[in-house]
Amino acid sequence: MNLVLLFPILIPFATAVACLLAWKQRHVQRVLSITGAVLLQASGFLLLVSVWQSGIRAVQMGNWPAPFGITLVSDLFSAIMIVMAGLTGVTVLVYSLADMDTGRESFGYHPLMHILLMGVCGAFITGDVFNLYVWFEVMLIASFVLLGLGGEKAQLEGTVKYVTLNLMSSALFLAAVGIMYGAVGTLNMADLARHMGTVKQPGLVTTLATLFLLAFGIKAAIFPLFFWLPASYPTPPAPIAAIFAGLLTKVGIYALIRVFTLLFVQDLEYTHALLLVLAGLTMISGILGALVQNELRRILSFVLVSHIGFMIMGLGIFTHLAITASVFYIVHDVIVKTGLFLVGGVVRAERGTYEMSSLGGLYSSNPWLSALFLLPALSVGGIPPLSGFWGKLVLVKAGMETGQYLIVATALIVALLSLLVMMKMWADAFWRDSPGSAAGGSVVSANPVSFESRLVLFCPIGVLGLLTLAAGIFAEPVLTVCSRAADQLLNTEEYIRAVLGGIP
Amino acid sequence: MVWIVLLSFVSAFFPPWLCRVLHSRTGWIVALLPAAITAYFARFIEEISSGGTVVESMGWVPCLGIELSFHLDGLSLLFALLISGIGTLVVIYSGSYLAGHYQLGRFYSTLLIFMASMLGTVLADNVITLFVFWELTSFSSYLLIGFNSDQKPAREAALQALLVTGAGGLALLAGFLLLGQAAGTLEISALLAKGDAVRSHPFYVPILLLILAGAMTKSAQFPFHFWLPNAMQAPTPVSTYLHSATMVKAGVYLLARLSPVLAGTAIWENVVTPVGMITMLTGAFLSLLQTDLKLVLAYSTVSALGGMTMMLGVGSQPAAEAAVMFLVAHALYKGALFLVVGILDHETGTRQSGRLGGLFRAMPATGLAGILAGFSMAGFMPSFNFIAKEQTYAAILETTPAVFLTAAFFVAGTCYVVVGGITGFQPFTGRPRERFLKPPHEAPPSMWVCPLIMAAAGVLVGVFPSPAGKYMLSSAVGAVLQAPSEVQPALWHGPDVKLFLSTAAMLAGICLYLARAKFRRSMEPLTPLLSKGPEHLYSLSLAWLDTIACAQTRVLQSGRLNLYLLITIVTTTGLVGASMLEHEPILGLERWSDLHIYEAILAVVLLTSTVVIVRSRSRLAAVAALGVVGYAVALLFLLFSAPDLAMTQFCIETLSVVLLVMVLYRLPRYRDYSSGKERFRDAVVATLAGGLITALVLVATAVTREARLTPFFTEHSLLLAKGRNIVNVILVDFRGLDTLGEITVLAVAALGVYSLLKLNTGKKSGD
């Protein structure tokens, strides 16, 4: 039974509906919300195991045969992404039990989070390009409301930029889908893959590819389209920023990898070379941006942008090893960025600010928090044996094997600069004395965090920290799964066969 | 072996807890671990010295060819013993040195992580595994240099060390990967047999240069040497252990380890030997200009590392012997001297050479250790360092032309005598210089015993050199040269050139020692020159980086939405336009003859009202014009036989015009925010973007084919889906999932509006 493909959409949907029915009953919503997230995580694993054992799974919605209805399809890449969505959901929602204000919780925080997860999972699992657009819309509207929820001035300003630029992306996406439908006559991605070669003007396919690249590039926040990200991510409460940072940008990357492995592989010299150039520029401009920021979450936002370049780099190199690296890097990045934004939330809970200039002294006052920051921070810096090291190692290896030395050098330099950024953050927020204590006063917490809520805050961060360590120490199984995922991405016949079956 | 190293990592968890129970006695318990490891490795001496090797391997990431494989031969055994042996002493010493420090537990944890990583570095057989441990030593060094993290210089020195060694580390990684690609293996033991293949590979030069960059940053070779003296911000036990005895020798280790693969070419000799020589001279010279005893030692360490590198550059059998001997001798005497200086600092509160003197009476044990170690450092007979020096002269004299290296080493040797005197001799002899706040007294035994052991060992090995030669040095040299070697160190080789040179250097050194104050004064005019050294370049490049970063971020992330949109649209137009021009698209113009007059009229209406929207100075007019656009589009739908779509569009347009008017009516009047120039620019961009989309649609129409889906929908909509209206059936059945999504979007939008209106956390919290 292929019900396993439906769970990732149904579970968050049902949870959201249930939460809405329990409107204003915060405690009921909390229970429902956590349960839903855990179930989503479980369904992700179920899907992963199922795809691992029996290959790509597909199900036709309403039993209308492909390509006429909508197909849900999951290869390993999709399944991995759904597992990551579940992980982010669980960690962020558990975290928000201790760090989310009553107002937002009473005004739809939980249902919105699940709608967001539903949109994300839908995007990961759909096999239809217009349906993908719909899931993007679901995601966009949910994230829009989550960003604006609370109505603080900075939030609204960030939200406006976020929505405007993301609507540009939607418009481009829709235009591209429309033109592609006109040219190929189908919306099913497997079917599109089969017929893309028959388009009378191959140049049009390249142009379409560029359009998709731009539409998804805005979502993924690549250079020079990433403005909305540093403008909006530092504004909402920590859990919302964490799920955005950890998960949302990855949907853009997922979509890029999906279309540039399945649909647009006719003109590699143009499209994938362009991807590679953009990847390099994203890495550099992101990390340079991070170097000059003075606010913890703005720094993290720029680092996030920079490392999106690494994920695109693998796609641009386009060998089996490179795609493996990209998939691995996504897994790594989801873990560490969610973790870092959550650590940022704890810092803010402890000290009442994100400004680097007023932070300090956390190393002596909060040793556990320091350790929990160091793990993902070093992983971002590529210190072995954490997961970030392996991601970069495999990318660099893939780049060298294909002789792409320029991007390899860029990646290595950006890795060093990332380490610099993270260590500067470490030195300023954790190592040095708190600026307050120099003046003679002791460090005063804005609102002292109780032991119980500290436990709740630390648990998800600890899990994420251990995961980046575990994914590094036990890199082999993770890489093996990613490598199989890359196999499936590059050998599109299996995907097409799973979706279309024996249809000629 | 693998388990020993892994367990050492795990053991790093415990010191913080131990500290809570045992306080300053923790050191003795923690020291059990390195002591046990020393004993463990000592068991292998017999086997290794008789020519055996020990190999252990565990799978790690086989899909990348990376194994957790360890290889114990003479060289790694020598290093392992130094690491664990000196580690034991340093751990004991730190217990007293940092007694009562509230972060003693974390200090021990980091030290143990370092020790485990360092062991891993010298034992690893897989270059990537080696790299993993190598980076971990860099990072633990970062934490330890910045141990006094409330002090800015400590934090900055830590970051500098991390950046310099980290940059080298990344070069090293690239070099290793290229090496693996060229040789087809990542295992050092397999690489050793492929030296010729690697040396003749087209990648050889990049491989060599990248690996050298890694080794030389780590071992503080000129021009990267500056991080090492700055790293003296670390507590003295750390300086002893990491920045003198072990970690900085990792680069030397790597050169020695890979020399069978990489050495023996002209480029190796022309790079490694001169770099080593320059480093040796720079370090030796700069050490004489310092007054802080720790800095004196740091620069002389730089110099010593340069010496070892130089010998590995020469690469002959005697040179390898000299390098290995010097390495051992240096670890012993320099470690001891650092610990002695630490005791002086600890007991008197100063490390300034001018303020210390005549302390032998107050601290005889420390004094003995200091004098013995200083004696070794100066290279007097019968210390082991004397033998190492003789061997160095022997190796250098064989090179052609011998004069440069001989002269350089002579100068360095002279300086070492002075350094040994300043650090080991002067503080204890002469008259007490100064009254200290508390009368200086002997340190606790746990402190003085450690340097004493090392200093005594340095002399003892010199007096009885043959066991060391037989059991340790031979196999180590054999590993460097990949050929069975027999090292027979001896104090006395008869009166020859070597003896003459080392005696002359000693005498010159003693003279210079006596005139050291004068020498330092005469060199003072050079000080401004020194600040222009490589470190200046380091800070300059950081400043440049900052400037560039600021500039690019100011331009890109300006905070202005209209600029963001502009860049996004320009990028889109540029990239899509370029991809179209590249492929010379065919525009679908052939059906233009079908154009009807009423269609043309509609097009004109559309365009005119668009212009009105943009140009209008009244919101109501703009909304009205927007409505016209909508209606015109709906009419187009009608003309192209989609009446249902047209009806929908009419409804939506009407509704949105009404709503917009209701909302906009309440807003203040228009204000101009942009200048005429900006508006012109925006108009150009907008026109280009619009033109591009037009062109794109024209291209698309040229290739449009019958949608293959339509016949299926027409055929099955009534029969299977039981619906006469195909559009409805598509919406609710064929593509019902899309509709579910869109309904969700609407529901969330409604929820969002409600929440936005009702909830304002900003007001409540007042910020």
Side-chain angles (χ1 to χ4, degrees):
Chain A
M1 186 56 201
N2 279 337
L3 215 61
V4 65
L5 282 161
L6 291 176
F7 286 145
I9 296 176
L10 277 184
I11 292 171
F13 185 64
T15 313
V17 172
C19 284
L20 281 175
L21 291 176
W23 188 254
K24 297 241 164 168
Q25 288 169 288
R26 273 177 60 225
H27 295 287
V28 181
Q29 284 200 30
R30 285 177 161 206
V31 174
L32 287 170
S33 177
I34 300 289
T35 317
V38 171
L39 284 177
L40 175 64
Q41 172 81 91
S43 78
F45 280 122
L46 202 66
L47 184 64
L48 186 68
V49 170
S50 152
V51 175
W52 177 261
Q53 283 171 348
S54 44
I56 300 178
R57 307 286 300 264
V59 59
Q60 317 296 345
M61 298 311 292
N63 229 3
W64 296 110
F68 305 106
I70 291 172
T71 310
L72 296 186
V73 48
S74 170
D75 59 358
L76 268 178
F77 183 38
S78 295
I80 292 172
M81 294 309 291
I82 285 175
V83 170
M84 297 325 287
L87 176 71
T88 327
V90 172
T91 47
V92 167
L93 284 168
V94 169
Y95 176 94
S96 43
L97 291 181
D99 187 20
M100 180 50 63
D101 52 288
T102 327
R104 287 188 175 85
E105 270 198 307
S106 318
F107 279 89
Y109 169 72
H110 289 289
L112 284 167
M113 287 293 260
H114 284 277
I115 296 286
L116 184 70
L117 285 172
M118 171 191 173
V120 170
C121 290
F124 289 152
I125 210 166
T126 186
D128 185 283
V129 78
F130 184 76
N131 195 233
L132 181 64
Y133 173 80
V134 172
W135 295 125
F136 268 51
E137 291 298 286
V138 172
M139 245 165 57
L140 179 61
I141 191 79
S143 55
F144 171 37
V145 178
L146 277 170
L147 259 181
L149 197 62
E152 292 163 32
K153 189 169 175 287
Q155 261 188 304
L156 290 182
E157 201 181 325
T159 310
V160 169
K161 289 172 185 159
Y162 176 82
V163 170
T164 313
L165 292 166
N166 273 287
L167 279 179
M168 277 289 296
S169 155
S170 299
L172 288 173
F173 186 8
L174 198 58
V177 169
I179 294 171
M180 192 158 73
Y181 183 64
V184 192
T186 180
L187 291 169
N188 184 296
M189 289 203 271
D191 205 30
L192 279 169
R194 239 175 11 157
H195 290 97
M196 199 59 92
T198 64
V199 174
K200 273 174 268 167
Q201 285 194 45
L204 180 63
V205 177
T206 308
T207 306
L208 276 175
T210 318
L211 265 181
F212 274 103
L213 169 60
L214 290 160
F216 296 150
I218 295 177
K219 294 269 177 209
I222 63 171
F223 176 91
L225 311 164
F226 58 68
F227 316 107
W228 58 270
L229 195 153
S232 61
Y233 279 17
T235 58
I240 297 178
I243 199 166
F244 282 17
L247 200 55
L248 275 200
T249 43
K250 274 51 168 203
V251 185
I253 295 165
Y254 167 85
L256 278 174
I257 293 184
R258 180 62 74 203
V259 298
F260 280 95
T261 53
L262 185 64
L263 303 184
F264 302 117
V265 286
Q266 301 79 10
D267 196 2
L268 292 179
E269 288 82 23
Y270 185 84
T271 50
H272 289 63
L274 181 62
L275 278 168
L276 212 50
V277 171
L278 292 177
L281 292 172
T282 308
M283 288 181 203
I284 294 174
S285 67
I287 206 65
L288 287 181
L291 271 171
V292 294
Q293 301 302 320
N294 299 309
E295 203 243 346
L296 197 142
R297 288 205 294 184
R298 279 183 75 82
I299 303 177
L300 290 179
S301 298
F302 276 99
V303 173
L304 176 66
V305 168
S306 169
H307 285 238
I308 281 157
F310 284 94
M311 296 168 239
I312 308 287
M313 172 180 164
L315 180 62
I317 296 172
F318 206 63
T319 58
H320 178 259
L321 192 64
I323 301 287
T324 307
S326 272
V327 177
F328 185 91
Y329 211 99
I330 294 178
V331 172
H332 147 76
D333 209 66
V334 170
I335 294 171
V336 295
K337 293 292 153 55
T338 313
L340 281 173
F341 272 83
L342 290 182
V343 170
V346 182
V347 170
R348 148 98 198 209
E350 294 278 351
R351 292 294 162 83
T353 180
Y354 286 112
E355 288 299 328
M356 297 308 285
S357 56
S358 0
L359 289 173
L362 286 163
Y363 179 59
S364 44
S365 66
N366 303 48
W368 279 105
L369 181 65
S370 312
L372 291 179
F373 169 79
L374 263 192
L375 276 175
L378 292 178
S379 196
V380 166
I383 294 286
L386 299 164
S387 58
F389 165 71
W390 295 105
K392 292 180 183 87
L393 174 79
V394 183
L395 276 174
V396 166
K397 191 165 152 60
M400 281 186 169
E401 283 174 1
T402 47
Q404 309 268 17
Y405 299 114
L406 189 61
I407 191 81
V408 165
T410 311
L412 288 175
I413 291 169
V414 171
L416 183 68
L417 293 180
S418 306
L419 185 64
L420 168 65
V421 168
M422 296 322 288
M423 289 303 106
K424 265 171 81 175
M425 192 186 270
W426 165 256
D428 287 347
F430 290 84
W431 247 6
R432 71 165 180 197
D433 270 352
S434 150
S437 74
S442 62
V443 180
V444 192
S445 286
N447 38 342
V449 182
S450 72
F451 178 74
E452 290 81 15
S453 57
R454 197 170 280 175
L455 209 64
V456 177
L457 294 175
F458 280 8
C459 261
I461 302 175
V463 166
L464 292 167
L466 287 179
L467 276 177
T468 182
L469 183 64
I473 291 177
F474 305 103
E476 173 72 11
V478 187
L479 276 170
T480 312
V481 176
C482 295
S483 161
R484 274 272 291 274
D487 271 341
Q488 293 179 342
L489 283 170
L490 289 172
N491 302 318
T492 49
E493 292 88 28
E494 192 186 347
Y495 185 94
I496 296 174
R497 202 168 346 103
V499 173
L500 297 174
I503 297 175
Chain B
M1 250 185 318
V2 179
W3 284 111
I4 293 275
V5 172
L6 295 184
L7 280 177
S8 309
F9 277 112
V10 175
S11 69
F13 278 102
F14 299 112
W17 278 289
L18 279 178
C19 261
R20 275 185 211 168
V21 188
L22 296 167
H23 306 289
S24 58
R25 278 160 303 175
T26 320
W28 294 100
I29 304 296
V30 175
L32 289 177
L33 180 77
I37 296 178
T38 318
Y40 172 82
F41 280 111
R43 286 189 316 136
F44 288 106
I45 292 177
E46 187 83 49
E47 187 181 347
I48 301 292
S49 61
S50 57
T53 56
V54 183
V55 179
E56 264 181 42
S57 185
M58 245 169 76
W60 192 13
V61 191
C63 64
L64 299 174
I66 297 165
E67 304 292 327
L68 208 55
S69 52
F70 282 12
H71 180 100
L72 187 70
D73 63 3
L75 187 63
S76 28
L77 180 63
L78 178 65
F79 266 95
L81 284 172
L82 282 178
I83 294 161
S84 49
I86 298 179
T88 314
L89 298 178
V90 166
V91 166
I92 294 173
Y93 179 94
S94 318
S96 305
Y97 187 83
L98 291 172
H101 197 290
Y102 76 112
Q103 286 182 345
L104 183 63
R106 290 186 222 175
F107 175 82
Y108 275 132
S109 292
T110 326
L111 207 63
L112 287 182
I113 288 179
F114 166 75
M115 188 191 70
S117 323
M118 194 63 213
L119 282 173
T121 307
V122 298
L123 292 171
D125 193 33
N126 187 293
V127 285
I128 301 296
T129 311
L130 188 154
F131 176 79
V132 168
F133 291 120
W134 176 285
E135 286 292 275
L136 282 175
T137 62
S138 290
F139 181 69
S140 37
S141 155
Y142 167 80
L143 286 181
L144 288 168
I145 296 173
F147 180 67
N148 292 316
S149 60
D150 49 343
Q151 287 159 18
K152 196 165 182 233
R155 294 196 302 269
E156 280 176 355
L159 187 64
Q160 187 186 56
L162 184 69
L163 281 183
V164 174
T165 53
L170 290 174
L172 183 67
L173 179 65
F176 279 162
L177 287 174
L178 274 183
L179 180 63
Q181 219 174 311
T185 176
L186 293 170
E187 300 290 317
I188 294 175
S189 47
L191 280 169
L192 292 176
K194 298 196 172 177
D196 289 329
V198 172
R199 280 186 293 267
S200 57
H201 198 278
F203 286 167
Y204 170 69
V205 175
I207 290 174
L208 178 67
L209 293 180
L210 288 168
I211 291 182
L212 285 182
M216 287 177 169
T217 45
K218 193 82 163 179
S219 282
Q221 298 296 297
F222 185 89
F224 309 114
H225 62 280
F226 55 89
W227 70 264
L228 184 54
N230 291 337
M232 294 301 128
Q233 291 289 338
T236 301
V238 172
S239 310
T240 313
Y241 192 32
L242 275 72
H243 305 124
S244 170
T246 59
M247 186 187 84
V248 288
K249 296 207 172 85
V252 174
Y253 166 79
L254 190 69
L255 291 184
R257 175 55 79 207
L258 291 181
S259 63
V261 188
L262 298 173
T265 58
I267 177 163
W268 167 282
E269 274 171 33
N270 291 336
V271 174
V272 181
T273 315
V275 167
M277 189 183 94
I278 293 170
T279 311
M280 182 175 75
L281 288 174
T282 315
F285 176 69
L286 291 177
S287 68
L288 297 190
L289 303 188
Q290 308 302 321
T291 52
D292 181 338
L293 289 185
K294 248 180 119 174
L295 284 181
V296 175
L297 289 176
Y299 277 108
S300 75
T301 305
V302 169
S303 173
L305 293 167
M308 291 170 218
T309 308
M310 183 176 88
M311 295 324 286
L312 289 171
V314 171
S316 61
Q317 159 108 23
E321 287 179 22
V324 171
M325 284 186 195
F326 192 31
L327 189 139
V328 176
H330 178 260
L332 292 176
Y333 74 69
K334 194 57 71 62
L337 283 176
F338 262 112
L339 292 181
V340 166
V341 169
I343 295 177
L344 290 173
D345 191 12
H346 198 252
E347 302 303 328
T348 68
T350 183
R351 305 192 299 244
Q352 290 300 320
S353 67
R355 298 178 61 193
L356 294 164
L359 290 167
F360 192 85
R361 196 178 298 255
M363 31 178 77
T366 312
L368 183 63
I371 289 167
L372 276 179
F375 178 81
S376 278
M377 164 128 205
F380 291 152
M381 196 136 80
S383 69
F384 184 58
N385 194 27
F386 172 77
I387 303 179
K389 272 192 180 168
E390 293 267 284
Q391 182 63 36
T392 310
Y393 280 121
I396 288 175
L397 287 170
E398 281 181 10
T399 58
T400 46
V403 57
F404 294 115
L405 297 185
T406 314
F409 192 67
F410 184 87
V411 172
T414 311
C415 295
Y416 294 165
V417 177
V418 184
V419 171
I422 295 176
T423 51
F425 194 67
Q426 183 194 311
F428 300 102
T429 54
R431 265 174 296 128
R433 299 286 171 96
E434 189 171 323
R435 276 174 182 282
F436 297 103
L437 282 179
K438 46 178 185 176
H441 56 86
E442 186 57 281
S446 56
M447 283 177 87
W448 58 254
V449 76
C450 303
L452 194 58
I453 290 176
M454 287 160 83
V459 178
L460 270 181
V461 179
V463 180
F464 306 105
S466 47
K470 186 177 166 208
Y471 288 109
M472 295 297 316
L473 304 177
S474 299
S475 54
V477 171
V480 177
L481 297 168
Q482 283 298 299
S485 314
E486 196 156 337
V487 182
Q488 287 169 322
L491 272 177
W492 184 252
H493 292 279
D496 53 9
V497 189
K498 297 179 301 211
L499 186 65
F500 167 74
L501 282 171
S502 51
T503 317
M506 273 177 233
L507 292 175
I510 292 171
C511 295
L512 192 57
Y513 172 70
L514 295 174
R516 62 190 183 277
K518 206 179 231 171
F519 177 77
R520 194 155 52 223
R521 265 200 304 280
S522 65
M523 288 299 156
E524 253 163 21
L526 285 178
T527 332
L529 215 66
L530 294 176
S531 64
K532 295 277 178 235
E535 188 176 6
H536 184 59
L537 216 63
Y538 165 86
S539 14
L540 264 189
S541 45
L542 276 191
W544 282 338
L545 188 67
D546 213 48
T547 316
I548 296 170
C550 272
Q552 86 115 29
T553 313
R554 224 181 6 251
V555 171
L556 271 182
Q557 200 73 25
S558 56
R560 293 174 58 191
L561 184 57
N562 59 338
L563 287 185
Y564 296 168
L565 271 176
L566 188 75
I567 297 180
T568 309
I569 294 172
V570 167
T571 311
T572 311
T573 318
L575 284 180
V576 176
S579 80
M580 279 178 74
L581 290 179
E582 181 136 326
H583 294 88
E584 294 171 8
I586 307 151
L587 302 182
L589 298 173
E590 70 271 17
R591 284 161 68 188
W592 273 43
S593 47
D594 301 350
L595 191 70
H596 294 286
I597 181 73
Y598 44 87
E599 288 167 2
I601 293 174
L602 268 181
V604 171
V605 171
L606 261 174
L607 285 174
T608 323
S609 35
T610 311
V611 173
V612 171
I613 297 173
V614 177
R615 299 285 306 166
S616 166
R617 311 209 32 95
S618 134
R619 283 206 186 82
L620 282 180
V623 170
L626 198 63
V628 175
V629 171
Y631 270 64
V633 171
L635 280 175
L636 276 180
F637 287 154
L638 202 60
L639 292 177
F640 287 90
S641 57
D644 43 356
L645 212 52
M647 296 301 291
T648 320
Q649 177 83 7
F650 280 128
C651 295
I652 300 282
E653 279 309 322
T654 315
L655 202 61
S656 45
V657 167
V658 171
L659 286 177
L660 276 175
V661 168
M662 277 168 62
V663 175
L664 293 183
Y665 191 68
R666 292 162 177 268
L667 289 182
R669 290 181 61 81
Y670 259 151
R671 298 248 311 264
D672 271 340
Y673 289 104
S674 49
S675 65
K677 220 154 104 193
E678 283 170 337
R679 257 177 287 172
F680 179 72
R681 174 197 68 194
D682 294 350
V684 170
V685 171
T687 316
L688 279 177
L692 177 83
I693 294 294
T694 313
L696 199 58
V697 171
L698 285 176
V699 177
T701 48
V703 297
T704 297
R705 57 169 116 188
E706 272 308 299
R708 294 183 302 113
L709 308 187
T710 324
F712 179 89
F713 291 150
T714 348
E715 192 180 328
H716 293 93
S717 131
L718 184 57
L719 284 178
L720 289 178
K722 317 287 181 207
R724 286 181 195 283
N725 183 332
I726 298 179
V727 175
N728 282 356
V729 175
I730 291 178
L731 287 180
V732 300
D733 198 339
F734 292 125
R735 300 189 64 91
L737 194 60
D738 286 344
T739 313
L740 175 73
E742 293 299 351
I743 294 171
T744 314
V745 171
L746 287 179
V748 172
L751 178 65
V753 171
Y754 177 74
S755 302
L756 268 177
L757 291 178
K758 284 279 182 183
L759 174 70
N760 191 332
T761 52
K763 263 184 212 154
K764 261 183 251 163
S765 61
D767 52 30

